[in-house]
Structure formats: C-alpha cells, structure tokens
Amino acid sequence: MKFQTKTKKSVSLLLSFLMIISVFTALPFTAGAVNTDVNSTSETSGDFKYKVLDDGTAQITNYNGNATELEIPNELDGYTVTSIGDYAFFEASFVSVTIPEHIISIGAWAFGWCESLMSITIPDSLSRIETRAFEHTAWYDSQPKGLVYIGKVAYQYKGDCPATVEIKKGTVGIAGGSFEFSETLTKIAIPNGVICIGESAFKDCTNLKSITIPDSVKSIDIFAFENCTSLTNVTIPDSVINIGALAFCNCASLKSVIIGNSVKSIENSAFKKCTSLTNITIPDSVVSIGSGAFGDCTNLKSITIPDNVESLGGGTTFENCTSLKSVIIGNGVKSIWGNTFDNCTKLENVTIGKSVTSISTSAFEDCTSLTNITIPRSVTHIAQKALGYYYDKNNNEHKVNNFTITGYRGTEAEKYAKANGFKFIYIDGTAIILKKSSAAVYVKGTAQIKATVKNGKGKTTYTSSNKKVAKVSSSGKVTGIKKGTATIIIKNNGVSEKFKVTVKNPQLNKTKITLKKGRNFKLKITGKVGKAKFTSSNKKVATVSKKGKITAKKNGNATITVKTNGIKLKCKITVK
C-alpha cells in the first residue's frame, strides 16, 4: 500500500531533517572550522569550563567568574585554547576582554548581551566569528553604520546595505550573518585572503546577482547563500574543502556551478531547489554527498558520481529531479538509500558502481521511465519495492511496464526479479532483448520484429502460434493474414521471448453517408495494402470513381463496395 511506502519516505525525510538540525548543536560545522570534540565532557580550570578537541586543543564553553576586565588565558591545564564556544560568555558583565593569540574561532552569541562590554582586543589568529557573537554589546552598539570589523573579520553590516559592497583587503573571515537579509545588495567581491564564509553570511540576499569567491576560501558554511534567488552563477575555487548544508539552497536562478577540485563534502541540501541548474560536474575529490544535496533540481539532466564518493547521505539526494535522464554511480558508493532517486520520472539510464552492496526501499520509486537496469554482483541486498514500482495520483500501486533487471545467475538481482515478477536477463547467458513486445498490423500488412540476441548460439528462430492469423519469416518479418491475434515465439539457445501481433481489417472512413444531389464525398481506406476496387450498386443514384470519389446523382439508396486486401468493405449511400 502507498501509505506504507510514504511512511518510510517520511522516516527518511525526518532522518535527513535531523541530520541538518544536528549542525546547530555541533560547533564548528564545516571542514574549515576547528576540529570537533573527542570528549564532550566539560572540564573545569579555575573560572573556565572547557572541552578538549580532536587536535588536542581546548574550546572554552562557559565562564563562572565575575571579572569586569577579562583576559582569556592562552592555556587551560596545558591545553592551548583555540576557540570560544557558543554562548560561552553570554550575558557576562565584562567591560573589556582581551582574546589571546591562537584563538581561531568565536562561537555564536559567545559575548551576546554583554551590555557593558566596551573594549575588545582581538588577535591576528582569529579567522572565524559565528552568528551574532557580539550582539547587544556596548562596543557593537557604538559602531558607526556600515560594515563592522572585528580584527580581520568582517563581522556584520550595520544599517541599510548599499547595492555594492567592497570588503577591504586583509580580511580573513566573513562572520555568520554578516549580510543576512540585505535585500538591496546586488554585487560583492570577496578579497583574496578570506579563509571562511560564515553561517548565513549572505542568506536571503535576494537581489545578489554576482559573487566572487577567492582561492583562499576553505569553507562555505551552512546557509551561506540560501535564498539568493537572483544569483546566476558561482565558481567554487580549488581551495574550498567543504560546502555546508543548505549553502546554496533555493538559489532558483543559479544556472552554472563550478565546484573546485579540493571539495571533499557537499552537505545536506547544499543545492536543493536550484531549479535552473541543468548540469553540474562533481570533482573526483568529493567523498560524501549529503541527503537532499540536489533534491528538487527540476532541470538537472544528468549526473556522474565519481569513484571517490563513499556516501550519498541518508536518502533523497536527487529526489524530484524530474528532468534527470542519466545517472552514473561511481565505484565507491556502498549504499543507495531510500528515496535517493524518488520521482525522477524521466530517468532512463542508471549505471550502478561495483561497490554498491544494498539498495533500500523506494530508492527508485516513481521512476516511471526506468524500464531496464543492470545490477552488479556486489549487491547483496535489495529491499522490498526498491525498484520497478510507482504510484498514481490516487495512491494506487503499480509495477513499471516491462521492467527488466539484467544481472548474474544466483545473485540478489535474480532473486528480487523473480520475487516481484520482473523479467530477468542473465549477463552470463543468452538473452533476447526486444525493442517492442507487440505490434498491430492490417491484413496483408507487415511489421518487423527488432530483436537483439546476446550470447546467442546458432540461428534465432521465429514461430507463429496461429499461422491463419499471422505468419512470420525467418528474419522476423510478420505478415497479417486475417483478423485476430497471434503470438510470435523468438528462440535462441533454449531462451525464448514472446511478441504479440494483433491483425486488423482495413477500414473505411465512413460506412454510412447522406448526400444531397450533386454533392461529392471521398472514401478513404485505412490499412490498405496494394490496389482497391470501388463499385456502386446503383449508378443512377450514386457513382464512384477509381479513387473512391462518390457523386450523388438522384434521390435513392446505393451501396458502394470496396475490394482491398482480399476483403470487401461497404458504405451505404442515401441521396436526398
């Protein structure tokens, strides 16, 4: 039933959503940020709480002291302090703060609502400031309108943003939310030397049409360009390692994206709803593509997933890509999750890499144009209704017409095909592939069976199940004999396929006509083979030419008889 599948889809979507939401609870998110925790348990050193990061440095997470002039220490219990976590000093009563060298990042709202804070000493090492880190401090409130800088980081635009903004040279970071909701911004150039573009830095800049990202940038954070609906092209340089979740989500005018050759991860929904995007090249450097990364890219026509990609997220990666026709899945991917290609209605060609071991439920749901797929030996698990199923508008379940699986004997592919009643073609045996499985012909008309034989032995034979209805030549040419149906059996090396033939009689365009005296009518024949002979039963009432032109002569009735294909057809004429 449909609701069962959609329940699974909902679970998949929920998991994808939870994966995205999880980024809000883990600092930092991107590859350019400080390493994530080894041990999330907080340690205490004097008035400071901290945690140890993967690289053996410390991140301050909280402060329990009451100093008004705070000097943050270089070390805590022998660990070099490199970052200040989210909300670490939120609502503290500092008047001044000195931040030491080695500090690389300051978390979201880290000094938020420190209303007395008037003086900040910032080290050159600082390159990342998360969203609203110094919001509602006396220092920030005293800044003039325009782009505010904290050290070498472009922190936040204060006041109405102009159409064009120039970020000064020497800037190393663009803080989270710096230009968020700046609807008047149309163009900005980011100078060389900037290392990171922070969370939501340009989110909802709906009139931003041009952006230059320099070779120095290593990370593009979550939501960085979300809803930049006027942005038409983006070049992501080779320096970038990570493209954050929803970074370019809903950039509906984005037609061209060039991804640099050092990008390792494309996170969840990074390019979701980029509805103008027709093609994109994923570089060999990429190892992971998140859930929904290209979901709803309704004009994306083809995609090649390189061999180094190991993960396609938790599903929905290419969901609703309704123009997608061709997919090549590289040899690094191990699992195709549920709904990965859901509703890719034009998808015709899929190449599955040799490392894929499992295909989950609804992985190719509603792929109504996908009628043939080859599955490698590596696949050991195909979940229920992973392939070959679709649902109509009324949520009725159907199998895709003529769905065929090509694979090896004794594999999961063969097991799935047989369990679901799908045709299975053996890669390692003789196979007969028909371009069409049926045809309609008229009496004395012909149709050619187009059959491709793989790994065949000897001659391919064609036999009619009813030679009185249709006969077939040794080359597969079918000739209609009389009205009815017949099945042509094609055989080679013990393997057979069926071709259904429906034979019809030729037909007249009219079998009954009323004409006024002196009027004409042209009889036409559908399915005529060779010549046709026309005769009138009463030439005083109506005559007929050799080509079927009827002429009404006087009031009365007549019958026009047509002989064609060895059959008589009649048309009754009434002249008034």
Side-chain angles (χ1 to χ4, degrees), residues 28-105:
F29 177 85
T30 62
V34 178
N35 290 331
T36 53
D37 305 324
V38 170
N39 183 358
S40 61
T41 303
S42 291
E43 304 289 339
T44 300
S45 177
D47 293 331
F48 297 93
K49 285 189 176 181
Y50 70 95
K51 54 188 177 184
V52 180
L53 305 176
D54 280 341
D55 60 0
T57 64
Q59 179 185 86
I60 293 174
T61 58
N62 203 352
Y63 176 71
N64 296 318
N66 55 11
T68 56
E69 296 181 357
L70 179 69
E71 185 170 339
I72 297 173
N74 281 299
E75 292 184 354
L76 292 172
D77 295 334
Y79 297 104
T80 301
V81 177
T82 58
S83 67
I84 298 170
D86 295 352
Y87 296 92
F89 299 101
F90 188 73
E91 293 186 334
S93 300
F94 307 135
V95 173
S96 67
V97 169
T98 300
I99 299 175
E101 291 293 340
H102 308 303
I103 294 288
I104 297 170
S105 70

Side-chain angles (χ1 to χ4, degrees), residues 233-269:
N233 61 81
V234 169
T235 297
I236 298 170
D238 290 345
S239 57
V240 172
I241 297 171
N242 179 80
I243 302 173
L246 295 105
F248 295 93
C249 179
N250 201 35
C251 291
S253 298
L254 193 59
K255 293 181 180 180
S256 172
V257 176
I258 298 174
I259 300 178
N261 292 319
S262 295
V263 171
K264 292 184 178 181
S265 62
I266 301 172
E267 300 292 349
N268 299 341
S269 302

